[in-house]
């Protein structure tokens, strides 16, 4: 509640990745979106296949290659 997290209402609508891709245009910003998705997915210490699939979908919509996605994941997960 201190940071208003308890007051957030989640909208039960699927993510429109095309709309996201239109809104996030710069390469650095697109990489940051994917970075944040990966960090959220790893926050609980597990990387569930459904999380991986959702992030792959987002990365594809943002024109992030599979190789770059893997590099981002490895850098965040501490793999090099």
């Amino acid at each position: 509640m201190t940071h208003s997290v308890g007051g957030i209402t989640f909208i039960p609508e699927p993510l429109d990745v095309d709309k996201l891709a239109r809104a996030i245009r710069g390469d650095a910003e697109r990489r940051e979106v994917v970075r944040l998705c990966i960090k959220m997915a790893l926050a609980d210490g597990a990387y569930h296949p459904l999380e991986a699939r959702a992030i792959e979908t987002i990365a594809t919509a943002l024109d992030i290659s599979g190789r770059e996605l893997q590099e981002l994941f490895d850098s965040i997960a501490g793999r090099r």
Side-chain angles (χ1 to χ4, degrees):
M1 291 307 284
T2 303
H3 301 289
S4 300
V5 174
I8 294 175
T9 302
F10 292 95
I11 301 170
E13 294 180 20
L15 175 65
D16 183 340
V17 292
D18 294 326
K19 186 174 180 180
L20 176 67
R22 287 191 302 274
I24 311 296
R25 295 190 180 145
D27 291 339
E29 290 83 3
R30 288 174 173 228
R31 281 190 296 280
E32 184 61 17
V33 167
V34 173
R35 236 184 247 108
L36 290 171
C37 290
I38 294 168
K39 287 181 179 184
M40 288 295 296
L42 293 173
D44 64 358
Y47 195 55
H48 192 276
L50 291 176
E51 293 172 322
R53 194 170 343 153
I55 292 170
E56 289 168 7
T57 299
I58 292 167
T60 298
L62 296 176
D63 294 322
I64 304 290
S65 70
R67 189 183 103 234
E68 187 173 4
L69 175 59
Q70 187 63 54
E71 289 171 358
L72 289 169
F73 179 85
D74 290 346
S75 70
I76 293 166
R79 302 176 189 170
R80 294 232 171 210

